Amino acid sequence: MTTRDSQPAAIELVALTKRYGPGAAAVDTIDLHVEGGSYCCLLGPSGCGKSTTLRMIAGHESVTSGDILLAGKNITDLPAAARGTAMMFQSFALFPHLSAVDNVAFSLKMRGVARGERRARAQELLERVAMGHLAERKPGELSGGQQQRVALARALITRPRALLLDEPLSALDPFLRIQMRAELRRWQQELGLTFIHVTHSQEEAMALADRMVVMNHGAIEQVGTPWEIYNRPASEFVARFMGGHNIIDTGEGKVAVRCDRVQILADSSPRDATQASIPIVVTDVEYQGTHVLLGLQQQGKTLTTHATAEFSAMVPEAAFVDAPFNVGQPGVMQWRPEQAHRLAA
Ligand code: ADP
């Protein structure tokens, strides 16, 4: 794909708010700048306002207050079809009774484009996503990857400047999901379009995004590169939501230490006084291949039934083989002070 139909457009949200009723706003005064041609993931738990934000950008949901700008132009009150955006939905949402080419041509039909012209344009787009030879097949006769390309061609037919993706991979099995996300990323780079992708999967967002936007209760908790979000979580919420971190109360505030950056020592091992430490008991031992995941409980604290372990340690397999641990074994969790990242109160 060498030619670009349009220049990638930046998207700007200014004090964007959505209220469905008298309660808390679903999206509460958010400000966000998405660079043109970048891959942005909106991430957060169910109900945090991701889809509402995306639907407002798409023009499928009215805005209570605030503005949406595309390439500097205010599109807040434009109808969906006039915005320069296009949506791609969960499991691609292709019409099962229509051929690939008719699926792609569908929105041109809605816009009153004559049959010959719309089929020609749809065929051309299918060629661009290497699906030209399968244009007459119905979705049920296509693989997951081929369906994704048809869905992409269908979204691109209106020549959008930004593509909005609402959980496009969530209905796929885990193996296909990983394949499809690599393909999405490749298409985004080749097309050079702005992508905004909603997901509740931390792993998916980290794999895809140039920038991640972590949302909570209708507000933005943190914006950053996947590296920044994972290594410098701004809050306890982000650290817990991303996972892979121990949240430790130091008495003067909380810190996050990555589970692969703590060391577990047997009680009998000599201590390193330059490191911070907590006495622990091992509560779970889970073999994960490259690592062994240890569940840990601070000594002297009783584990309530069904409680998940208080801390976790990812011990590389070879290190675990050299110094194995059993459930119930006491020890010490230690970490270098520079590994502790202070969390906002
Ligand atoms: P997410 O996509 O992060 O799961 P949503 O944007 O779908 O979250 O929803 C955010 C909040 O708005 C939730 O509390 C949800 O129940 C509420 N909500 C979403 N859509 C509607 C609607 N059409 N009417 C009333 N409340 C809604």
Side-chain angles (χ1 to χ4, degrees):
M1 218 170 273
T2 48
T3 53
R4 284 183 183 177
D5 285 335
S6 51
Q7 285 302 305
I11 293 177
E12 189 99 31
L13 310 181
V14 186
L16 190 65
T17 300
K18 177 67 188 184
R19 290 182 184 283
Y20 288 107
V27 175
D28 196 358
T29 336
I30 63 170
D31 294 298
L32 179 67
H33 176 83
V34 179
E35 214 172 293
S38 68
Y39 205 124
C40 172
C41 283
L42 302 185
L43 174 70
S46 179
C48 73
K50 310 177 292 290
S51 297
T52 300
T53 302
L54 198 75
R55 291 203 307 268
M56 285 193 284
I57 299 170
H60 296 165
E61 189 67 74
S62 66
V63 167
T64 304
S65 61
D67 289 296
I68 303 164
L69 285 78
L70 186 93
K73 183 182 162 198
N74 197 322
I75 60 165
T76 316
D77 299 317
L78 289 183
R83 292 189 169 213
T85 58
M87 279 277 255
M88 191 165 141
F89 296 95
Q90 202 175 84
S91 63
F92 326 133
L94 297 173
F95 297 116
H97 58 291
L98 294 183
S99 64
V101 67
D102 285 335
N103 262 288
V104 176
F106 187 78
S107 64
L108 295 185
K109 185 176 180 182
M110 293 294 99
R111 288 166 197 228
V113 177
R115 179 179 158 87
E117 185 188 339
R118 64 178 192 252
R119 281 185 66 96
R121 273 175 59 188
Q123 183 66 36
E124 185 188 292
L125 261 179
L126 284 172
E127 307 283 350
R128 282 177 63 177
V129 296
M131 284 292 293
H133 60 301
L134 300 174
E136 296 305 331
R137 291 233 187 134
K138 301 227 167 89
E141 300 160 345
L142 298 171
S143 73
Q146 291 166 337
Q147 288 184 43
Q148 174 162 288
R149 289 189 216 164
V150 175
L152 185 66
R154 186 175 62 169
L156 295 176
I157 194 129
T158 57
R159 301 197 171 106
R161 306 182 69 183
L163 189 63
L164 310 172
L165 305 100
D166 193 0
E167 301 262 10
L169 308 176
S170 64
L172 306 178
D173 68 65
F175 182 72
L176 194 56
R177 197 180 308 148
I178 289 168
Q179 267 190 329
M180 294 297 94
R181 81 177 181 217
E183 188 156 329
L184 270 186
R185 178 73 189 153
R186 197 160 58 241
W187 286 119
Q188 188 270 334
Q189 285 171 344
E190 290 196 32
L191 292 159
L193 285 178
T194 311
F195 274 34
I196 303 185
H197 175 139
V198 160
T199 179
H200 60 267
S201 160
Q202 301 86 335
E203 187 196 318
E204 190 170 300
M206 287 206 283
L208 283 168
D210 295 312
R211 271 179 113 61
M212 284 164 65
V213 178
V214 184
M215 293 183 69
N216 182 25
H217 290 310
I220 293 177
E221 284 271 332
Q222 189 172 5
V223 180
T225 63
W227 192 93
E228 286 165 344
I229 301 279
Y230 197 70
N231 285 285
R232 304 263 178 274
S235 61
E236 181 172 349
F237 171 82
V238 175
R240 288 198 191 281
F241 183 72
M242 292 307 294
H245 288 83
N246 290 304
I247 314 287
I248 300 162
D249 197 337
T250 60
E252 300 151 1
K254 289 182 177 173
V255 297
V257 185
R258 281 171 49 162
C259 299
D260 58 344
R261 300 285 159 82
V262 296
Q263 213 188 345
I264 307 302
L265 300 177
D267 249 358
S268 54
S269 303
R271 299 293 141 77
D272 177 350
T274 66
Q275 301 205 22
S277 65
I278 290 179
I280 50 85
V281 179
V282 175
T283 58
D284 300 281
V285 177
E286 231 178 56
Y287 182 60
Q288 299 197 335
T290 57
H291 285 82
V292 177
L293 183 66
L294 299 182
L296 310 167
Q297 193 66 27
Q298 188 164 351
Q299 275 182 29
K301 285 199 181 176
T302 44
L303 192 62
T304 53
T305 27
H306 303 307
T308 48
E310 192 177 9
F311 303 120
S312 303
M314 295 259 280
V315 183
E317 187 192 33
F320 188 83
V321 170
D322 286 346
F325 282 86
N326 300 311
V327 171
Q329 191 175 336
V332 165
M333 176 171 90
Q334 69 172 25
W335 63 93
R336 294 204 307 277
E338 66 270 23
Q339 299 292 357
H341 167 68
R342 188 157 293 283
L343 298 169

